[in-house]
Amino acid sequence: MKILVTGGAGFIGSALIRHIIAHTEDSVVNVDKLTYAGNLDSLGEASSSPRYAFAHVDICDGSALKRVFDIHEPDAVMHLAAESHVDRSIDGPAAFIETNIVGTYILLETCRFYWQDLDAERKGFFRFHHISTDEVYGDLEGPGALFTETTPYAPSSPYSASKASSDHLVRAWHRTYGLPTLVSNCSNNYGPYHFPEKLIPHMILNALHGKPLPVYGNGQQVRDWLYVEDHARALYRVVTAGEVGETYNIGGHNEKRNLEVVETLCELLEEMAPENPHSRANREGGFRSLITFVKDRPGHDLRYAIDASKIERTLGWKPEESFESGLRKTVAWYLENESWWRKKGSDPF
Ligand code: NAD
């Protein structure tokens, strides 16, 4: 297959491309605008493969997108390009409306016209896989409740509302035009190459630099964490084996309170970076003493948790990484890859 991946220079898109190049015989064309969140260094060795190509294109630019389709003739599209940071969506929602909603619409239309003209065999084979988030479901009530694929949408932030809108567009293009679509909704990802504005890398890097570790509200918000490479495997499983028109929830069975995540990171850093000037060996209270509670984010959902039994049952996917092993790998990666996070745009210091 030739797979067109949008947003392949981002956190999850780059993990997906590294997975496809390393573990399959498929080719990839990476369509990315390279916003502040895009970094081609995240592709690693995959970018030198003869099965990899890059197109510097904004998904809102329909004619540039059409040229990419004409040149590369993909068999599948995996759509990850998005504005993805909730705090930025609160400060400036316009880019979220533009890329996540209008961009998805333009990509769907480009796909539809391309797909309509394919011969019968390639037409039957073609897939459009839209990658979305569990945040579209809003807040969960009660400690035992889980999001399933039929949970009604109730997004809370401009980010999650824009993703919910794009999910609806994708389903409408399937229902109305017959475009062979798949949707997956995933919980919070973590792992290597994560842009330092997001919770886990932000805390690791602030701790290493002796800066405050800002925890929203009382830190009791619960998120379900999935190691990014487990997500990449799940996405490839969905696009190659998923049933057209279906939705798959993807989660890691790792429900953790934000404060617990930050405290665990502090303990890992005590163990893995004891020579750091802010560790317990060198400063009273160590990394934990940097934790500070800050005013909560407006509209902050209290709890997200995914029921991933459908993808496990029907496609045989399960996460391989536990939260403990994944977090350890992540901390080790940030300790060893300073040159990546110091690169333009991602250096927070
Ligand atoms: P990211 O912000 O790290 O990467 C987004 C990528 O999209 C960047 O490379 C950026 O340059 C590119 N991009 C942005 N606007 C574009 C445009 N107009 N045209 C072309 N490229 C553009 O995001 P991520 O964390 O890798 O998330 C990828 C997808 O997965 C998003 O759709 C997000 O909603 C979804 N998702 C993320 C998480 C998570 O925890 N990170 C969880 C569930 C779902």
Side-chain angles (χ1 to χ4, degrees):
M1 282 206 296
K2 179 170 265 192
I3 305 175
L4 188 155
V5 175
T6 70
F11 170 48
I12 301 172
S14 63
L16 173 67
I17 294 176
R18 294 194 307 271
H19 173 81
I20 294 173
I21 296 296
H23 299 291
T24 79
E25 295 183 350
D26 296 337
S27 307
V28 171
V29 52
N30 174 13
V31 171
D32 201 298
K33 177 183 174 183
L34 299 180
T35 66
Y36 78 94
N39 183 345
L40 290 174
D41 289 347
S42 305
L43 274 310
E45 286 173 10
S47 58
S48 48
S49 166
R51 290 181 286 122
Y52 170 83
F54 174 61
H56 188 189
V57 164
D58 182 341
I59 57 162
C60 298
D61 181 347
S63 44
L65 263 186
K66 183 177 179 309
R67 275 196 300 280
V68 175
F69 276 75
D70 290 344
I71 294 167
H72 292 281
E73 300 187 355
D75 301 298
V77 171
M78 298 178 81
H79 177 33
L80 296 99
E83 289 292 334
S84 68
H85 191 48
V86 176
D87 289 344
R88 284 181 190 256
S89 82
I90 295 168
D91 294 343
F96 290 72
I97 306 304
E98 190 61 18
T99 286
N100 300 1
I101 305 179
V102 179
T104 299
Y105 155 71
I106 291 170
L107 182 64
L108 280 167
E109 280 296 77
T110 310
C111 278
R112 177 162 79 92
F113 293 120
Y114 166 78
W115 168 76
Q116 274 173 354
D117 288 342
L118 291 175
D119 64 42
E121 194 189 347
R122 292 196 67 202
K123 203 171 175 183
F125 191 65
F126 184 83
R127 296 287 182 272
F128 180 96
H129 179 181
H130 177 63
I131 285 80
S132 191
T133 165
D134 62 352
E135 299 196 26
V136 298
Y137 300 123
D139 226 353
L140 268 176
E141 275 178 29
L146 295 172
F147 296 132
T148 71
E149 287 79 1
T150 54
T151 300
Y153 276 28
S156 305
S157 70
Y159 163 67
S160 54
S162 68
K163 290 296 291 185
S165 307
S166 63
D167 294 10
H168 290 316
L169 290 175
V170 172
R171 292 201 181 90
W173 260 242
H174 172 61
R175 185 81 193 261
T176 305
Y177 304 112
L179 189 70
T181 63
L182 299 140
V183 176
S184 57
N185 296 82
C186 187
S187 60
N188 273 34
N189 282 218
Y190 70 101
Y193 302 102
H194 206 179
F195 194 78
E197 69 187 351
K198 301 287 170 73
L199 180 76
I200 288 179
H202 186 57
M203 295 297 167
I204 296 172
L205 298 180
N206 272 21
L208 291 175
H209 291 82
K211 302 214 165 200
L213 306 181
V215 174
Y216 279 130
N218 58 9
Q220 296 307 300
Q221 307 85 353
V222 176
R223 298 292 179 264
D224 176 1
W225 292 93
L226 179 68
Y227 193 62
V228 69
E229 290 172 14
D230 276 328
H231 189 196
R233 281 193 306 108
L235 294 177
Y236 189 74
R237 196 76 197 117
V238 169
V239 80
T240 51
E243 198 172 321
V244 166
E246 289 293 315
T247 296
Y248 297 90
N249 277 355
I250 306 173
H253 308 296
N254 286 311
E255 277 185 55
K256 305 282 176 203
R257 294 182 194 282
N258 284 348
L259 183 57
E260 196 183 341
V261 172
V262 178
E263 288 174 344
T264 309
L265 284 171
C266 289
E267 289 314 310
L268 279 171
L269 286 169
E270 294 293 350
E271 185 194 321
M272 297 168 80
E275 73 295 343
N276 184 282
H278 310 288
S279 74
R280 211 171 279 138
N282 298 312
R283 158 199 181 126
E284 202 186 324
F287 295 115
R288 268 185 190 237
S289 65
L290 298 168
I291 295 175
T292 47
F293 295 92
V294 298
K295 190 171 179 294
D296 209 353
R297 169 195 274 170
H300 208 170
D301 291 328
L302 188 56
R303 179 170 169 261
Y304 301 143
I306 280 261
D307 175 357
S309 58
K310 178 175 169 182
I311 185 170
E312 293 183 10
R313 200 177 58 250
T314 59
L315 302 182
W317 171 87
K318 268 208 308 244
E320 286 174 1
E321 211 67 63
S322 70
F323 190 61
E324 289 64 32
S325 64
L327 212 53
R328 187 172 283 277
K329 281 186 181 175
T330 306
V331 171
W333 189 89
Y334 280 91
L335 290 174
E336 286 159 16
N337 288 277
E338 186 165 341
S339 60
W340 181 87
W341 53 259
R342 284 220 183 267
K343 264 269 155 86
K344 179 183 140 307
S346 53
D347 184 354
F349 303 104

